[in-house]
Amino acid sequence: EAGVAQSPRYKIIEKRQSVAFWCNPISGHATLYWYQQILGQGPKLLIQFQNNGVVDDSQLPKDRFSAERLKGVDSTLKIQPAKLEDSAVYLCASSFAGGRENIQYFGAGTRLSVL
Amino acid sequence: AQSVSQHNHHVILSEAASLELGCNYSYGGTVNLFWYVQYPGQHLQLLLKYFSGDPLVKGIKGFEAEFIKSKFSFNLRKPSVQWSDTAEYFCAVIPYNQGGKLIFGQGTELSVKP
């Protein structure tokens, strides 16, 4: 079974530039999550989708971050403009459904460095 | 503030030593509990989980964890570690009112010396 696919694996940009990350969840998984993992910390949820609708985006910095999942499958996360503090690993995860008892499967992540 | 705390940032053990990694959370009510592991160069993967029932849960690769409700703890244990257990370990919680949102601790890096 194919896992969660993310691209690119690495990205280096200068501050004030824009960047986009892509995620393809496990086939059949309705729920998709984006997490931000800053060095030395655990992942923190940015946004959760159920199919193509947003369930939770309370911790998404909406002035610069945006995410979409137009057809309820693939998702993109965008940062515009990037700041130095956005340097982190961006993890995508998916689960069969939302809720507390659904196991989340993680992708390898995209490591972003903002210079 | 409500949080998940892992007691140790970096643990160094020799092979065959016993392991216990601490995890405490500060959420009241029902919680689902998880330990995830990230081996070098690999993605986060589930080690074990607790939803209800027997508070002693067994996971993959000989790991187990015990949920102690009165102590708000979910410590991870392994009787005898191997070099291949070198990884970063994350405790995570889903509180009853947070939908599917995983709340992670800061992680513990385990280094096992051969």
Side-chain angles (χ1 to χ4, degrees), chain B residues 62-73:
Chain B
F63 286 89
E64 65 179 30
E66 184 176 14
F67 170 51
I68 303 179
K69 188 175 182 179
S70 60
K71 295 184 178 181
F72 298 85
S73 71

Side-chain angles (χ1 to χ4, degrees), chain B residues 17-40:
Chain B
S18 64
L19 170 71
E20 180 159 3
L21 301 183
C23 173
N24 285 90
Y25 61 93
S26 61
Y27 298 89
T30 304
V31 293
N32 285 1
L33 298 154
F34 306 80
W35 276 96
Y36 277 84
V37 60
Q38 186 167 27
Y39 297 103

Side-chain angles (χ1 to χ4, degrees), chain A residues 33 35 37 40-43 45 48 56 58-59 91 99-101 103-104 106-108, chain B residues 30-32 34 36 43-44 46 49 51 90 94-96 99-102 104-106:
Chain A
Y33 313 78
Y35 288 85
Q37 185 177 12
Q41 300 180 19
L45 182 73
Q48 176 183 346
D56 183 350
S58 58
Q59 302 211 68
L91 298 168
R100 296 169 48 235
E101 297 196 356
I103 304 304
Q104 295 182 32
F106 285 81
Chain B
T30 304
V31 293
N32 285 1
F34 306 80
Y36 277 84
H43 59 276
L44 271 170
L46 184 68
K49 65 187 186 300
F51 291 167
F90 292 93
I94 299 181
Y96 74 99
K101 177 178 176 180
L102 273 168
F104 284 88
Q106 67 267 45

